[in-house]
Amino acid sequence: MTFESTKAGSRWVTRIIPLFLAAAVGYATYVTVARVCADFLIHDRQQHGSAVAVLVLYFLFMFLMIATYLRTIVTINTDPGLVPLGSLAVSRRNSKEASDSTRRADDLEGQPYGGMAPDDNPDSPGLEQFYTKDVFICETDGRPKWCSECCNWKPDRAHHSSELNRCVLRMDHYCPWAGGMVGENSFKFFVQFTAYTACYCGIVLGAAGSSLKKKISSGDGVDGFLVGALGLGGFFGLFTFMMTVTSLRYVLLNMTNVDLLGYRTKVYQLAVRIPRGSQGTDSYHVINYPLPRPGTSYSTNQQANGTGTMNRVNSPSLGREARDELAHRTFAILRTEASENPWDLGYWENWKEVMGNNPIDWLFPIRRSPCVKHDLNESFYRMGDIVNVVRARHGLAPVPVDGQDGVEMR
Ligand SMILES: [Zn+2]
């Protein structure tokens, strides 16, 4: 199974670009090996050492560039990190109507519940993945973000891609060069690819440029092949260098292209787990999970020892009541301030979340980013001190460091 763009233009570009890149690399190889090293450095100048140095660097970075490119496109096309479709979306897409419906634009920062309304079923599939965590991104009503196209609850940092018509985990951008959506599974390989390509272009530029300069100054005239290599190397070198700088900035700040949209004014709403049965205050509302069934509501009796106990009102189902009592969790709905990034762990931890924990991971496109493991109980992705800052701002105690269920205060 592959995950191609829904847009014919993008699919067409995706098939042409690898051929174009292969032709460019073939040309650069001919110029560097034949024109620079064999003809100029070895034949004309007898500079064997320089020729060997250029060849070693050239093929080293060509190999790294091709390896990271292949790793990126294979990951993008086989496992781009899609959020599973909701059952309604599956049936809708299987029906003929789906093909007739016009596609909507990306809801990058999702208009709350635009289009198909969120599932009002308190036992909506997937909802428990959110309220079993201690923090998740929510809407004003305390429910997670909902994708009206995929009919699913969107995990933190997942966004709907109109290119794929699917929600993508930690979505970054659609890359025509790699032919797909760069997300959490491929972002590390993408960064490595742009960095190695910039280095590769730098070597082509250096080799062709210095040979051309020496040829001109010694009266050999202008070699058109060297000029062509300078043009290609300059174009791709500048492009990939800029991409590398931008991507490294994202890595160090723990942000994506999507996160950065409207960053200065962007406010996140966090559902933050608080002691069971706590009441809302002037500065925040609370939401209780599992959501009450229609015709029922939770009421809270605050006891003298501070323990909240829950009573169901008008409950039609006593069996469910006992289960809900045990699984019951209360969340405060808090807002960050503008430009606060809940996932910022500091430069070094941000780097390791994406690039890995050791130089082997940083340099080679072997293992995926640590952040894709999703093995945390607390949140979808590691969150930074901002969560405690936001809690404190709302008069809530910090999250206990040892995680020994202190939040429940039984
Ligand atoms: Zn979606």
Side-chain angles (χ1 to χ4, degrees):
M1 187 177 178
T2 58
F3 302 96
E4 289 190 302
S5 171
T6 57
K7 293 170 183 167
S10 297
R11 289 202 300 272
W12 186 83
V13 167
T14 293
R15 283 165 197 157
I16 294 297
I17 278 179
L19 300 175
F20 177 59
L21 293 180
V25 171
Y27 180 82
T29 303
Y30 167 72
V31 171
T32 306
V33 175
R35 313 291 290 200
V36 172
C37 291
D39 290 356
F40 179 69
L41 288 176
I42 294 174
H43 183 264
D44 293 355
R45 298 281 175 118
Q46 279 83 47
Q47 293 178 352
H48 294 86
S50 300
V52 169
V54 168
L55 289 174
V56 166
L57 286 174
Y58 179 83
F59 283 105
L60 172 68
F61 282 100
M62 188 173 93
F63 170 76
L64 290 168
M65 175 179 74
I66 292 172
T68 49
Y69 183 62
L70 292 177
R71 188 78 165 99
T72 305
I73 57 173
V74 167
T75 306
I76 277 175
N77 284 289
T78 59
D79 188 9
L82 302 181
V83 180
L85 286 176
S87 55
L88 189 59
V90 173
S91 56
R92 207 167 55 171
R93 288 174 189 213
N94 286 340
S95 74
K96 279 210 165 184
E97 289 168 34
S99 58
D100 299 331
S101 68
T102 51
R103 306 202 185 283
R104 296 195 184 93
D106 287 23
D107 59 342
L108 286 177
E109 265 320 294
Q111 311 80 18
Y113 305 148
M116 179 72 72
D119 188 358
D120 278 329
N121 177 4
D123 295 322
S124 175
L127 206 49
E128 73 288 348
Q129 286 175 33
F130 293 82
Y131 65 76
T132 50
K133 307 250 184 248
D134 292 337
V135 191
F136 60 88
I137 300 295
C138 67
E139 296 283 8
T140 307
D141 67 4
R143 287 189 289 176
K145 287 174 177 284
W146 171 260
C147 178
S148 55
E149 295 289 321
C150 303
C151 302
N152 57 18
W153 301 104
K154 291 200 272 190
D156 295 3
R157 313 190 86 175
H159 293 281
H160 186 80
S161 155
S162 61
E163 289 278 351
L164 301 182
N165 200 22
R166 290 291 295 269
C167 283
V168 180
L169 291 170
R170 208 177 185 278
M171 179 172 123
D172 198 86
H173 69 287
Y174 187 85
C175 175
W177 301 95
M181 182 58 70
V182 177
E184 66 172 17
N185 285 344
S186 52
F187 189 63
K188 172 186 142 173
F189 308 134
F190 174 80
V191 176
Q192 291 173 329
F193 167 61
T194 59
Y196 287 136
T197 307
C199 295
Y200 169 84
C201 291
I203 289 157
V204 173
L205 281 175
S210 71
S211 303
L212 187 66
K213 188 175 165 217
K214 286 171 190 162
K215 280 192 164 209
I216 291 172
S217 60
S218 61
D220 286 349
V222 175
D223 183 339
F225 281 99
L226 296 180
V227 175
L230 284 178
L232 269 180
F235 171 74
F236 283 111
L238 187 64
F239 180 65
T240 52
F241 177 74
M242 303 291 283
M243 288 295 289
T244 305
V245 171
T246 306
S247 304
L248 289 177
R249 181 166 164 249
Y250 291 157
V251 170
L252 292 173
L253 296 177
N254 204 336
M255 297 191 87
T256 62
N257 260 299
V258 178
D259 293 334
L260 209 67
L261 292 174
Y263 174 65
R264 288 186 188 285
T265 55
K266 185 178 285 187
V267 169
Y268 291 95
Q269 294 194 104
L270 306 171
V272 176
R273 191 172 165 216
I274 54 176
R276 179 180 298 160
S278 300
Q279 302 279 14
T281 70
D282 287 345
S283 70
Y284 61 84
H285 294 290
V286 299
I287 184 169
N288 291 300
Y289 284 98
L291 296 171
R293 305 189 73 74
T296 70
S297 62
Y298 286 112
S299 71
T300 307
N301 293 333
Q302 291 296 117
Q303 294 180 341
N305 64 1
T307 305
T309 56
M310 300 303 303
N311 296 324
R312 295 296 292 269
V313 179
N314 301 330
S315 173
S317 161
L318 288 173
R320 184 173 289 279
E321 186 175 339
R323 186 211 70 178
D324 287 359
E325 185 80 19
L326 281 174
H328 178 74
R329 287 170 162 233
T330 302
F331 289 83
I333 303 162
L334 310 181
R335 287 163 69 88
T336 65
E337 287 186 351
S339 77
E340 283 179 335
N341 174 10
W343 300 282
D344 184 7
L345 308 167
Y347 295 134
W348 177 232
E349 292 299 320
N350 289 344
W351 168 266
K352 290 198 291 186
E353 278 291 288
V354 174
M355 299 308 292
N357 293 311
N358 60 66
I360 303 279
D361 281 347
W362 305 341
L363 294 174
F364 301 108
I366 301 167
R367 284 199 294 198
R368 293 183 184 182
S369 302
C371 72
V372 311
K373 286 182 190 150
H374 299 294
D375 54 359
L376 296 177
N377 294 321
E378 299 81 34
S379 50
F380 285 95
Y381 298 93
R382 277 176 71 195
M383 284 187 161
D385 288 337
I386 288 294
V387 175
N388 279 333
V389 170
V390 173
R391 286 178 72 108
R393 210 179 276 148
H394 292 83
L396 292 165
V399 180
V401 177
D402 57 5
Q404 291 300 307
D405 206 30
V407 73
E408 236 21 307
M409 295 191 297
R410 286 174 186 274

